[in-house]
């Protein structure tokens, strides 16, 4: 399954007040997603610039660590979605080893 760049970037964000922090950016071995004030499990999807899904996981804690050792250097897109698939937040991070 591939996601188009339009799906990753142009779809509307449903919750602009979401407290999301992604660090470090650029990442070398791992990247952390801190999602403040979670009141339900969410989905986190990471894709590369070609649309290939690199990670797709259920997030149940405020802090989630993703290992990026197998990722190539470059730009990655992420989406954080609620249980109905609505986009809460989307953005990018870089991997630079």
């Amino acid at each position: 399954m591939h996601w188009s760049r339009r799906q990753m970037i142009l779809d509307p964000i449903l919750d602009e007040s979401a407290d999301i922090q992604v660090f470090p950016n650029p990442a070398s071995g791992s990247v952390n997603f801190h999602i403040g004030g979670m009141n339900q499990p969410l989905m986190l999807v990471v894709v590369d610039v070609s649309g290939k899904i690199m990670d797709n996981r259920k997030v149940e804690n405020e802090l989630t660590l993703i290992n990026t050792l197998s990722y190539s250097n470059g730009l990655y897109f992420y989406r954080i979605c609620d249980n109905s698939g609505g986009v809460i937040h989307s953005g990018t991070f870089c991997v630079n080893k």
Side-chain angles (χ1 to χ4, degrees), residues 37-43 59-61 81-84 88:
M38 279 183 49
N39 57 9
Q40 65 175 325
L42 302 171
M43 291 299 299
V59 176
E60 298 182 288
N61 301 307
C81 303
D82 62 21
N83 289 332
S84 65
I88 293 173

Side-chain angles (χ1 to χ4, degrees), residues 9-18 20 40 42 79-90:
I9 302 215
L10 299 178
D11 283 352
I13 307 302
L14 296 181
D15 187 353
E16 293 181 6
S17 66
I20 313 289
Q40 65 175 325
L42 302 171
R79 286 176 70 144
I80 299 170
C81 303
D82 62 21
N83 289 332
S84 65
V87 179
I88 293 173
H89 186 79
S90 66

